[in-house]
Amino acid sequence: MNRGCRITVTAATIGWYVTSEARPDIDQSSWEEGVVTGARLEPGDPRLTLRNTMLNLALGNAHRRRDDSREHLLYYLKAWNAWVERRSIKLLRRSPNETMPRISSRSAPTSADDNA
């Protein structure tokens, strides 16, 4: 993920670990592929939003800050939660004093739920 979208290795590793541990029922291969490549993703797709956010941060910061990994992890978890819940998200921001998001326990709606 670091090479694909410039997220810190620490944030990507911790994000992958905590989401995999909390939600072993979710196959994250399309999550990883989408974040790394951005291929065929529509605007508002959380994977594309995370990818674009990380690439934009990498372009704007010549020096690494001490809290980069923490900020990247916060964005990772926000985007991952939106992806799991099938919510569109076009912007990732951190509010002052915002705490780390919890892993979503909500299930994504199934196609049957979409038609109800």
Side-chain angles (χ1 to χ4, degrees):
M1 281 190 172
N2 173 265
R3 288 187 188 133
C5 72
R6 310 306 302 159
I7 189 170
T8 65
V9 172
T10 301
T13 302
I14 292 170
W16 183 270
Y17 177 78
V18 298
T19 55
S20 296
E21 285 292 309
R23 296 298 304 270
D25 57 310
I26 297 174
D27 176 6
Q28 295 193 49
S29 56
S30 67
W31 163 258
E32 180 183 18
E33 180 184 344
V35 172
V36 171
T37 69
R40 298 183 307 274
L41 299 179
E42 297 290 325
D45 186 301
R47 298 167 293 178
L48 183 61
T49 302
L50 177 62
R51 176 183 170 74
N52 290 342
T53 300
M54 294 296 100
L55 291 172
N56 287 333
L57 286 173
L59 289 174
N61 294 330
H63 299 288
R64 198 182 130 102
R65 295 192 332 249
R66 225 174 45 149
D67 66 343
D68 278 353
S69 289
R70 183 169 174 77
E71 185 171 358
H72 288 194
L73 178 59
L74 182 132
Y75 294 149
Y76 182 106
L77 295 176
K78 281 183 161 186
W80 190 90
N81 282 339
W83 175 72
V84 166
E85 296 170 4
R86 294 188 187 173
R87 287 186 290 113
S88 176
I89 186 170
K90 294 184 179 180
L91 183 64
L92 288 169
R93 286 197 177 167
R94 180 183 65 168
S95 302
N97 301 319
E98 184 174 2
T99 60
M100 201 60 66
R102 295 178 188 255
I103 306 303
S104 177
S105 60
R106 292 177 47 190
S107 296
T110 63
S111 56
D113 293 337
D114 293 339
N115 296 329

